[in-house]
Amino acid sequence: MDRLERVHAAVTGGLRGRPRDVTELNHALFLRLAAEVQGYCRDLHDESIEAMLRPALVPNTAVRDALRLALENGRRLDSGNAGPGNLGTDWARLGATLWDDLYAAYPSPTAGGKDWNRRLTWLNTTRNGIAHNDTTTIASAKSEHPLTLNTFRVMRRRLSQFATALDSVTGAYLTVTTGTAPW
């Protein structure tokens, strides 16, 4: 993402406004952000499965493999976006109540769980509009937030906070569930 921002600066000369048409570059920024969020969430889910299936907790290798397969099979992050519903469903497979935990731990409506939920919804709607060249969906996304470098930076910062919070509540859940801190 940093490289895309550098390319953006090179194309625009670092000037604000629209010195050149950078619409497609801005779209690439949002696509990449959605991909990064999804990859992070999938990796954290994988690490969570491993924490739950440590040999000390599940000594039988065949049982561990069967449980891992059951927890991964049909995972929504493998076939859909990292939207709030898919994340909630995938964390529920681990026995966690993800959004309830995030809302409780980060109650601020403007910089906490509810804000992250709205931003993830917007980001994935935007991603789908761009990826599927759906001009109506893109226009709807733009009506809420302009698809600009500044919006990208705000979204990236807020979703980085979400990633930290997701790690924290997941780690706390796994510590309680397994009796050992997972990381």
Side-chain angles (χ1 to χ4, degrees):
M1 289 189 293
D2 290 337
R3 287 191 301 259
L4 276 174
E5 281 198 55
R6 284 192 297 274
V7 168
H8 195 286
V11 168
T12 63
L15 300 173
R16 296 182 63 105
R18 296 257 182 220
R20 293 180 177 79
D21 183 14
V22 293
T23 301
E24 297 305 320
L25 188 51
N26 288 345
H27 287 184
L29 288 165
F30 291 103
L31 288 171
R32 183 65 184 175
L33 180 59
E36 288 291 325
V37 170
Q38 183 165 346
Y40 175 81
C41 292
R42 189 175 37 248
D43 289 348
L44 183 60
H45 195 266
D46 283 341
E47 289 180 29
S48 299
I49 291 170
E50 292 306 314
M52 294 178 84
L53 300 178
R54 285 191 308 269
L57 298 171
V58 184
N60 184 298
T61 302
V63 171
R64 268 197 323 273
D65 291 345
L67 290 171
R68 182 179 300 104
L69 183 62
L71 290 169
E72 291 174 348
N73 190 28
R75 179 170 52 185
R76 297 216 175 154
L77 282 168
D78 292 333
S79 61
N81 296 331
N86 286 347
L87 293 176
T89 297
D90 285 349
W91 259 251
R93 295 167 71 91
L94 304 174
T97 53
L98 177 64
W99 289 104
D100 289 343
D101 294 347
L102 282 167
Y103 294 158
Y106 302 91
S108 171
T110 58
K114 291 186 191 283
D115 179 62
W116 298 323
N117 189 303
R118 283 189 302 272
R119 288 178 188 280
L120 282 169
T121 299
W122 179 87
L123 178 63
N124 285 296
T125 298
T126 302
R127 176 254 174 238
N128 289 341
I130 294 167
H132 301 289
N133 198 27
D134 181 341
T135 56
T136 303
T137 301
I138 294 169
S140 176
K142 281 182 177 178
S143 72
E144 193 172 340
H145 298 287
L147 301 183
T148 63
L149 179 61
N150 186 58
T151 300
F152 166 78
R153 287 177 174 159
V154 169
M155 290 293 176
R156 183 179 182 188
R157 188 170 45 256
R158 294 284 177 87
L159 293 172
S160 290
Q161 294 166 349
F162 164 73
T164 300
L166 181 61
D167 181 90
S168 178
V169 299
T170 301
Y173 167 74
L174 292 169
T175 299
V176 168
T177 301
T178 67
T180 307
W183 40 78

